[in-house]
Amino acid sequence: FYCCQAVGRSMLPRAEGVIVNIASVTGIKPIEGRVSYSVPKAGVIALTKQLGIEWARRGIRVVGVAPAVVETDMVRQGAEQGHFDIDACVQRTPLRRLGQVEEIAESVLYLASDEASYITGETLQVDGGWVAYQLF
């Protein structure tokens, strides 16, 4: 919210710009035991929709990306500390692998580009099919 507000102050007078918020699939499909993570991510998705509507006529697009589990140092450390099971995440993902940082970055670049100029208020799920898969 504060970041959108801060960059909005410079974008709105110029009537141009794109804000890309980073959420999570847990903001769409919550997981037990992750309330302190999932609820704020749902808020980011709602903020993206709301600002996408409110600022569209003022020349600002607001979009988001909702990744599933991405292979990062933090994820590896969390798994090593027993906070979650990477193999279970892989098995739960229809593409049967974790996301890569580069894949998330490419999604952000696309949404910020002119190729996505008719997209606002939406959050793109970059999740290997995580949300579509109803088993877990």
Side-chain angles (χ1 to χ4, degrees), residues 73-134:
D73 291 340
M74 184 177 77
V75 165
R76 283 188 289 278
Q77 288 172 353
E80 289 169 7
Q81 295 169 0
H83 297 295
F84 62 91
D85 182 349
I86 287 180
D87 291 333
C89 292
V90 168
Q91 289 304 309
R92 193 257 176 261
T93 305
L95 286 180
R96 296 294 191 259
R97 64 180 180 81
L98 299 182
Q100 299 300 306
V101 172
E102 296 79 12
E103 292 170 314
I104 307 309
E106 289 168 2
S107 301
V108 170
L109 287 173
Y110 167 70
L111 287 172
S113 75
D114 289 339
E115 284 79 25
S117 63
Y118 199 58
I119 301 172
T120 193
E122 290 295 329
T123 297
L124 178 64
Q125 297 166 196
V126 185
D127 66 356
W130 181 283
V131 172
Y133 190 48
Q134 299 298 311

